[in-house]
Amino acid sequence: MFSEAEIAAAIRSLAEQIARDHAGEDVLLLGILKGAVHVLSDLARELDQIQPGPSRLYLDVMAVSSYGNASRSSGEVRLIQDTTHAIEGRRVVIVEDIIDNGLTLSYLNALLSARKPLSLRSAVLLDKPYRRIANVKADYVGLTCPDEFIVGYGLDYQERYRTLPYIAKLRPDIFSDPD
Ligand code: PRP
């Protein structure tokens, strides 16, 4: 669906947009485990190369889950692991691999804005806008994704395929969901 080169270009575009909006500022990049591991890593290193850009980058992660091993969201987002950095008074950019029904990002926005950050923005590599439930938009979007079940570059199917360097459509004969 998206090659390594297309992903790299999208990450570069996200980094440029974030750099423009945060030039001279300290920024906390907050990756949402587990899907955002590759995006966080590549985006942080790309952002570090851009001048002018953030004066200092801090990295943190939190883990939430709404899908478990199912291909459909449970509709309930659970906090599994919190940040180590305090959020109050910081410029925070949430980093996600994908926004689909929007419940995860909506949950994160509510949770983190209550902690009084100086600013709170969100960067997603992939926007899948077809099944949105929550009225939420990411501030920075890398790629718009077709309405397919996709895997790779952090995205999994029952914990498989996260380590693919590209993003692929899962073949329907492999994809069977008893849930
Ligand atoms: C995925 C993805 C996002 C979320 C987006 O996480 O990484 O966090 O779903 O979906 P939504 O917009 O429909 O809420 P998942 O819950 O599958 O956990 P994982 O990242 O550990 O795979």
Side-chain angles (χ1 to χ4, degrees):
M1 199 72 78
F2 297 109
S3 67
E4 289 182 65
E6 287 171 308
I7 294 168
I11 296 281
R12 172 82 193 173
S13 160
L14 288 174
E16 286 169 351
Q17 295 174 66
I18 294 168
R20 202 176 48 230
D21 289 350
H22 298 82
E25 311 280 1
D26 288 357
V27 174
L28 177 65
L29 283 186
L30 177 54
I32 308 305
L33 297 176
K34 297 179 286 240
V37 280
H38 304 310
V39 189
L40 179 69
S41 170
D42 288 346
L43 180 62
R45 287 178 292 176
E46 194 69 49
L47 194 47
D48 221 22
Q49 302 297 312
I50 298 178
Q51 292 295 335
S55 66
R56 190 157 167 198
L57 276 183
Y58 295 85
L59 301 185
D60 208 338
V61 290
M62 58 195 300
V64 300
S65 189
S66 62
Y67 286 75
N69 270 339
S71 62
R72 280 189 300 274
S73 169
S74 64
E76 183 192 340
V77 183
R78 289 186 304 127
L79 177 61
I80 293 169
Q81 181 189 311
D82 210 336
T83 62
T84 55
H85 287 93
I87 297 299
E88 185 168 356
R90 288 177 180 270
R91 297 198 181 276
V92 178
V93 177
I94 297 169
V95 178
E96 268 284 30
D97 50 342
I98 191 165
I99 176 171
D100 187 355
N101 65 34
L103 291 174
T104 304
L105 188 56
S106 174
Y107 169 86
L108 290 167
N109 280 339
L111 182 78
L112 296 169
S113 58
R115 298 180 183 179
K116 302 188 171 47
L118 205 54
S119 63
L120 179 63
R121 296 190 174 98
S122 50
V124 302
L125 176 64
L126 297 157
D127 184 7
K128 212 173 174 185
Y130 316 96
R131 298 170 207 277
R132 204 72 101 234
I133 295 172
N135 183 21
V136 64
K137 274 175 127 174
D139 297 286
Y140 312 108
V141 173
L143 296 159
T144 300
C145 178
D147 190 14
E148 303 280 3
F149 195 97
I150 53 171
V151 293
Y153 198 74
L155 293 155
D156 74 307
Y157 171 59
Q158 298 187 346
E159 295 298 331
R160 297 178 66 194
Y161 312 117
R162 284 196 203 275
T163 50
L164 288 177
Y166 50 83
I167 292 168
K169 172 182 166 182
L170 198 64
R171 276 183 12 218
D173 55 319
I174 294 174
F175 169 39
S176 65
D177 184 8
D179 300 331

